[in-house]
Amino acid sequence: MEDHGIVTLDPQGRVASWTAEAGRIGGWSAAEIVGRPFSVFYPPDDVAAGKPGRELAIAAERGRFADEGWRVRKDGSRFWAEVEITALFDGQQRLLGFGKVTRDMTKRRDAEEALRLSEERFRLLVHSVQDYGIFMLDPGGRISSWNAGAERIKGWTADEAIGQHFSMFYPPEDVAAGKPDWELEVAAEQGRLEDEGWRVRKDGSRFWANVVITALFDDRHRLQGFGKVTRDMTERRNAEQALRERRRLVGHLVDAQEVERRRIAWDVHDESIQSMVAVGMRLQLLASRLPEPHASAVAGLDESVQAAIGRLRGLVSRLRPPELDRHGLVEAVSGYVDEVAGRWGLEHSVHDELTAEPSPEAAITVYRICQEALSNVHKHARATRVDVRMSTVDNGTLVRITDDGVGTASDDAGAGHFGLVEMHERAEAAHGWLSVTSTPGQGTVVEFWLPMLPDLTGLEP
Ligand SMILES: Nc1ncnc2c1ncn2[C@@H]1O[C@H](COP(=O)(O)OP(=O)(O)OP(=O)(O)O)[C@@H](O)[C@H]1O
Ligand SMILES: [Mg+2]
């Protein structure tokens, strides 16, 4: 027995024999200790109180005495010991002496103390956590512990809550539907249940809660109760709703803007341009009938009109890219990039890796974002080339516009700069994302992704 010191005592309590292990625990050698009263193992106050003698008397009377307490080593240091004294009798029931087994429990006691302290600290931690309501339920659903977070979130104090049934946190309709009991059943069956829904505070107000119920079993798998962690998600929910609402509004605005642009494009195309074409034809006719120098003057007027028609056609195609309807996204973007990059003297390329054509709404968004990104390259980048790459990724359209310019794009350029903000908003309104990465001296990458179908997850039921 490794840490058991075994000693025999004579009937008067003097040490009769002594094992090496006892020596290791107490620090005595056999020569030093044999013959001395065993009370030297006890702290002075125990000796003064007559404890050693009393223990022997009990052992002699009952055959056995067990104790746990402080004992002393030869050097005076104390250790926590488990002691068992057994009386030894001969065949005629005469007391021969005692066997004494001493076990040094200091390590175990330290470990137990450390465990107790750590459990205490853990309990304090749980108790004082503010952001999470953490409490325990007995197997029947009655509250058996309550922390500061639970009080903060739900409004009941520990005194008010402990002993109550946890169904008091649920709205009446949930209680009527048996939801609280059902949740415990599921948790007991599956070990854990997570739920998100309305809960009720002490003052009757409701909050949106995320709740996790964990079943607690002992080592023989008997249900001991439940741990419940509740988080108040009201703010998060409000923020999410606000974001959804904002996207919806931006989506509406973007749609309205497209409709309006299309209308203007049609008006300009069908009316202004047609009338000017008619004016041009008249001027040409007139010029052919007039003598010089009037003929040249009128021909000059006609040139101005033709130039204005050209500009108006450009305006129409920017307002409502006609290729988008007729030839699809890639044609439209390529046409646009060829035209503007050519005009601005930029090398350029458009890579088409699309395996699916985006919806008309997504196509318009892609086109508009490309327009703004290219106009930024022209206005700010001082680049020599620009590349556009379109691909089908994750059930959506991924577009990357790369320039080799100064790389100074910034999302917070301040008042009066709407381009990047609008690009972000368009992408988000289409339930996608957009990122702008600028590396000074190396250029800018605008990348965005739009889903094929608007993502309906997370929308209100
Ligand atoms: N490709 C780019 N290369 C370098 N700088 C850029 C690039 N794109 C944008 N920037 C910088 O980021 C700023 C913000 O761009 P944004 O498009 O938001 O505004 P803007 O072009 O200045 O004005 P607006 O687009 O409203 O006419 C620009 O002023 C410019 O300094
Ligand atoms: Mg811009």
Side-chain angles (χ1 to χ4, degrees):
M1 281 188 288
E2 208 207 286
D3 49 359
H4 290 65
I6 301 176
V7 179
T8 58
L9 308 175
D10 68 16
Q12 286 71 45
R14 283 183 300 250
V15 177
S17 74
W18 179 252
T19 62
E21 187 53 37
R24 201 183 61 74
I25 296 175
W28 308 85
S29 69
E32 287 169 327
I33 196 67
V34 169
R36 294 183 67 171
F38 87 115
S39 57
V40 294
F41 305 140
Y42 288 74
D45 36 335
D46 282 354
V47 177
K51 190 171 170 189
R54 207 165 44 245
E55 292 188 356
L56 282 195
I58 296 173
E61 193 185 314
R62 303 187 187 156
R64 187 178 164 277
F65 176 83
D67 180 33
E68 193 166 311
W70 291 112
R71 294 296 184 274
V72 190
R73 298 195 186 91
K74 179 185 168 190
D75 63 7
S77 64
R78 294 181 175 211
F79 63 101
W80 189 261
E82 216 177 64
V83 176
E84 189 175 336
I85 303 175
T86 314
L88 308 170
F89 297 100
D90 68 8
Q92 278 83 48
Q93 287 299 307
R94 278 177 309 208
L95 184 66
L96 291 177
F98 302 91
K100 184 165 177 269
V101 179
T102 304
R103 193 164 172 215
D104 183 351
M105 304 298 285
T106 315
K107 270 197 210 125
R108 196 170 88 189
R109 193 184 148 88
D110 287 352
E112 278 171 0
E113 183 65 10
L115 182 65
R116 200 186 60 75
L117 273 178
S118 108
E119 277 173 356
E120 175 69 9
R121 276 193 293 265
F122 185 70
R123 206 182 56 74
L124 282 173
L125 166 71
V126 168
H127 187 77
S128 53
V129 163
Q130 289 278 346
D131 291 343
Y132 294 81
I134 303 176
F135 51 96
M136 311 258 272
L137 307 177
D138 69 16
R142 293 199 180 277
I143 298 156
S144 57
S145 82
W146 193 246
N147 80 337
E151 174 167 350
R152 190 184 67 82
I153 295 173
K154 298 179 189 265
W156 284 279
T157 64
D159 283 348
E160 292 164 334
I162 289 176
Q164 301 281 341
H165 195 264
F166 85 114
S167 57
M168 72 175 177
F169 308 139
Y170 289 73
E173 62 273 17
D174 283 352
V175 177
K179 186 170 172 185
D181 289 333
W182 174 83
E183 289 197 341
L184 288 194
E185 271 167 41
V186 174
E189 218 164 83
Q190 304 185 354
R192 181 175 183 282
L193 172 123
E194 182 163 0
D195 178 35
E196 207 155 286
W198 293 111
R199 295 293 186 276
V200 186
R201 296 195 185 90
K202 182 185 176 188
D203 63 9
S205 62
R206 291 184 179 205
F207 66 101
W208 187 259
N210 172 283
V211 176
V212 176
I213 302 179
T214 310
L216 306 172
F217 296 100
D218 66 10
D219 43 14
R220 279 195 266 158
H221 210 75
R222 284 176 310 204
L223 184 65
Q224 295 295 302
F226 300 91
K228 196 162 179 243
V229 179
T230 302
R231 255 189 308 166
D232 183 349
M233 309 289 279
T234 314
E235 264 169 42
R236 164 108 67 96
R237 185 183 151 93
N238 288 346
E240 279 171 3
Q241 265 174 347
L243 183 65
R244 268 200 295 272
E245 184 60 9
R246 205 176 73 99
R247 281 194 185 154
R248 207 176 56 78
L249 284 176
V250 170
H252 268 308
L253 279 176
V254 166
D255 286 350
Q257 195 186 36
E258 288 304 331
V259 169
E260 185 64 7
R261 282 183 179 176
R262 213 172 309 159
R263 197 187 58 74
I264 296 173
W266 283 334
D267 283 357
V268 171
H269 180 263
D270 296 350
E271 286 168 27
S272 313
I273 293 182
Q274 301 318 319
S275 342
M276 286 174 76
V277 167
V279 169
M281 291 189 323
R282 295 251 175 80
L283 287 176
Q284 282 161 20
L285 194 66
L286 199 58
S288 69
R289 292 181 185 166
L290 281 175
E292 289 295 348
H294 306 297
S296 302
V298 171
L301 277 181
D302 177 49
E303 270 170 35
S304 305
V305 169
Q306 296 306 324
I309 291 175
R311 283 197 298 277
L312 283 181
R313 288 222 160 97
L315 173 67
V316 168
S317 84
R318 279 195 301 285
L319 281 172
R320 174 64 191 168
E323 295 87 346
L324 215 47
D325 302 328
R326 272 190 253 129
H327 307 296
L329 178 66
V330 176
E331 285 278 288
V333 170
S334 302
Y336 180 74
V337 174
D338 283 347
E339 187 209 318
V340 295
R343 185 160 7 112
W344 299 331
L346 284 169
E347 286 178 60
H348 56 276
S349 68
V350 176
H351 295 272
D352 168 22
E353 290 162 11
L354 289 179
T355 53
E357 182 73 12
S359 68
E361 294 77 24
I364 276 283
T365 305
V366 171
Y367 189 88
R368 292 299 182 208
I369 294 178
C370 287
Q371 266 183 320
E372 172 56 26
L374 273 134
S375 113
N376 273 352
V377 172
H378 172 53
K379 282 198 294 185
H380 312 294
R382 283 182 269 139
T384 63
R385 72 169 295 131
V386 59
D387 298 286
V388 181
R389 185 174 294 270
M390 291 183 262
S391 50
T392 305
V393 170
D394 285 345
N395 228 355
T397 307
L398 182 73
V399 181
R400 189 183 300 143
I401 301 147
T402 313
D403 71 56
D404 65 350
V406 290
T408 50
S410 109
D411 280 339
D412 39 30
H417 304 272
F418 301 113
L420 292 181
V421 175
E422 202 186 302
M423 280 153 68
H424 278 288
E425 285 183 346
R426 277 184 184 272
E428 279 167 26
H431 298 275
W433 52 260
L434 178 137
S435 76
V436 179
T437 318
S438 252
T439 315
Q442 292 186 24
T444 299
V445 181
V446 173
E447 193 171 26
F448 61 97
W449 177 87
L450 311 174
M452 286 290 168
L453 290 169
D455 180 10
L456 296 178
T457 57
L459 288 185
E460 285 294 272

